[in-house]
Amino acid sequence: MSGIMFKRVALIGIGLIGSSISHAIRRAGLAGEIVGSSSTAATREKAVELGLVSRAYETAAEAVKDADLVVLCTPIGAYGKIAEEIRPHLKPGAIVTDVGSVKASVVRDIVPHIPEGVHFIAGHPIAGTEQSGPEAGFAELFDGRWCILTPEPEADRLAVARLEDFWRKLGSQVEIMTPEHHDMVLAITSHVPHLIAFNIVNTAAHLERVTDSEVIKFSAGGFRDFTRIAASDPVMWRDVFLNNKDAVLEMLGRFSEDLVTLQRAIRFGDGETLERLFTAARAVRRGVIQAGQDTNDPDFGRRGKTDKAS
Ligand code: NAP
């Protein structure tokens, strides 16, 4: 096929992101062959059955043999061990990349294991859902979304350009930045919002004077949108917070200060402050829609539903 960019792509981990990459690669005809690895037999069987990979191996070492592009798609806590395991089996000239939600720790864990002549370029597609596993993926996941690449200053420019081209063909827009800057930006746009969602859902679950059934019954008041975010994979998110500690703590500090401002305005009946801050927040939502990162459909685009969050 004329559009083939890589003869063989190896996906290490075939969950939501790994399977979506497979769908998007096949949609664009970018690979001669896609292989994958998972230590779980059920995942391997499902991945082959769905046509996500032509072969699913038990170990990452087997999967990367002869691969021109290797994409790590597991929780980031597993990266160091995987990098060590695949090191002797990587093809000279291959590109190794990843999709992890934190970048500085990933670079720290992987770079020491990359042999001479193999190009490592860290990456993160800013696209996802709360679903997990090989059946969760779909080709359109990356369409119109950003993929951030954080190459080392000495990275091979041709390899970086090739990976940029690859992500564009998967449907993404690409931006390059340092791992540290990525981690700061994502702490406030993704990591802290997830932490808030996990926390508010648990706070509601611990209430004694409002029953669980009431929390669920009246969840369209806003709570259910937090439950969607809080349904994300616990292992993935455990690893995010263990690996982006400094940036998350910095953003949580700022969040807490701003929360105190709101708390004081409520306590002292300061409607002017509340209205001013809510108006500013509403403008941010308009910016997200104008940037094409969400639609302006009522009720967050839920189809076939007439109920409305209030
Ligand atoms: P997922 O659906 O849970 O899939 C994870 C995959 O990794 C599965 O194939 C799983 O294998 C494998 N895995 C889990 N633990 C492992 C370990 N210790 N060693 C080797 N393999 C392991 O997760 P995902 O949502 O695709 O996330 C994968 C990566 O993408 C994460 O690094 C995450 O930070 C990043 N990411 C996620 C999102 C999102 O919204 N979900 C968005 C952008 C980036 P089994 O099937 O055998 O369990």
Side-chain angles (χ1 to χ4, degrees):
M1 208 182 292
S2 62
I4 287 179
M5 292 188 69
F6 298 100
K7 270 201 230 153
R8 183 177 295 174
V9 175
L11 302 173
I12 309 306
I14 321 166
L16 167 71
I17 301 295
S19 62
S20 295
I21 290 176
S22 168
H23 285 294
I25 287 177
R26 287 182 299 139
R27 180 181 67 174
L30 301 180
E33 186 185 17
I34 308 172
V35 300
S37 73
S38 167
S39 56
T40 309
T43 303
R44 294 198 297 274
E45 281 160 27
K46 190 48 82 182
V48 173
E49 184 192 315
L50 296 172
L52 299 169
V53 294
S54 55
R55 278 169 290 151
Y57 298 96
E58 192 172 348
T59 65
E62 293 169 282
V64 302
K65 274 180 202 153
D66 275 333
D68 309 286
L69 176 68
V70 175
V71 191
L72 305 193
C73 307
T74 68
I76 56 177
Y79 280 6
K81 203 161 155 272
I82 293 171
E84 195 178 347
E85 179 193 332
I86 63 177
R87 177 187 192 141
H89 307 283
L90 291 168
K91 182 178 169 180
I95 295 176
V96 177
T97 187
D98 79 300
V99 296
S101 307
V102 180
K103 295 275 62 90
S105 70
V106 161
V107 171
R108 178 200 67 205
D109 290 350
I110 295 182
V111 165
H113 299 293
I114 298 297
E116 192 78 28
V118 171
H119 310 291
F120 173 67
I121 302 153
H124 178 204
I126 314 299
T129 76
E130 68 281 16
Q131 314 274 323
S132 304
E135 288 170 286
F138 52 99
E140 299 78 20
L141 181 66
F142 309 111
D143 288 350
R145 301 282 172 256
W146 287 95
C147 179
I148 297 175
L149 301 181
T150 64
E152 297 294 277
E154 61 278 10
D156 182 271
R157 291 169 90 184
L158 280 178
V160 175
R162 222 166 144 212
L163 193 61
E164 278 187 60
D165 194 26
F166 173 74
W167 275 105
R168 288 205 179 92
K169 287 178 172 153
L170 294 189
S172 289
Q173 310 176 71
V174 179
E175 186 139 321
I176 306 266
M177 60 179 74
T178 66
E180 293 72 21
H181 189 69
H182 166 279
D183 290 354
M184 192 59 85
V185 172
L186 269 291
I188 192 62
T189 56
S190 170
H191 305 168
V192 168
H194 275 80
L195 200 70
I196 292 166
F198 290 129
N199 194 47
I200 199 165
V201 170
N202 284 333
T203 301
H206 296 151
L207 288 175
E208 280 166 11
R209 291 175 54 212
V210 180
T211 64
D212 282 355
S213 63
E214 282 174 310
V215 167
I216 291 165
K217 184 172 164 186
F218 301 117
S219 62
F223 181 72
R224 68 178 178 191
D225 295 308
F226 287 103
T227 63
R228 186 187 65 73
I229 297 175
S232 301
D233 185 61
V235 173
M236 170 193 150
W237 284 100
R238 175 201 67 192
D239 287 358
V240 167
F241 291 110
L242 291 177
N243 286 282
N244 198 19
K245 188 171 156 180
D246 293 345
V248 167
L249 291 178
E250 160 73 18
M251 294 306 166
L252 264 183
R254 288 166 181 256
F255 174 81
S256 306
E257 287 170 22
D258 291 341
L259 191 61
V260 169
T261 304
L262 289 172
Q263 202 174 348
R264 283 177 64 84
I266 293 167
R267 185 182 308 286
F268 296 112
D270 180 357
E272 204 181 307
T273 297
L274 292 175
E275 194 178 335
R276 180 173 52 76
L277 293 174
F278 297 161
T279 304
R282 192 181 209 187
V284 175
R285 171 71 187 162
R286 278 199 293 274
V288 168
I289 292 161
Q290 275 161 15
Q293 298 304 301
D294 206 349
T295 65
N296 196 23
D297 295 341
D299 201 17
F300 305 100
R302 289 190 177 91
R303 273 172 280 163
K305 296 261 192 274
T306 50
D307 53 344
K308 193 175 182 303
S310 55

